[in-house]
Amino acid sequence: MVFIEALLLALALCVDTLVVSATTAFKDKMPWRRGVLMALILGFCQFAFPLVGAVIGDVARAFIEAVDHWVAFGLLAFIGGKMIVDGIRGEEGEEQKKVVDGRRSLIATYFLLGIATSIDGLAVGIGLGLDQPMSTVLWVVTVVGVVTFFVSIIGIFLGKRNIPVPERTANIIAGVVLIGLGVKILLEHLFFA
């Protein structure tokens, strides 16, 4: 997987993180120190979930090697399709609203937000583990984590300045990117393997 693909994957996966960061910074009038803590936690979760998924995919590869490209395509297409539908409907994740409104400790709240925004990354990680060697996966999930951190910082910046984030458009674009990566994996295995 080339750097551009890893970057596109990272940007597609961290759309929810951008929205959550901006919303939380706006609602809480967040100081920068807490914003950096939140961005670190969100970046870590976005790194860890795809990595765990990739380990699962790598273990499962031996059992489903003949159809691994179809599974990777299916996972990416499903997650991408869901993002497009959510973008068209304009739905926010219910778990994100509940977590922000709850009365939990700050770090626990940030970890719950990280988990809520990283679940899609677990499924994408399974697809990566089925399709890529673990050395490539480790590099890709590191890119995802770092990009998520910086996108979270951007979200906090926007939220502190009350600049709206175009959530629907971002979800649709992210969904198209994930479906495109899934199609690429499928075509590579069908025609170039």
Side-chain angles (χ1 to χ4, degrees), residues 88 112 143:
I88 291 170
L112 288 173
V143 170

Side-chain angles (χ1 to χ4, degrees), residues 61 63-70:
R61 183 187 318 177
F63 301 106
I64 60 171
E65 194 163 359
V67 294
D68 62 352
H69 50 284
W70 285 102

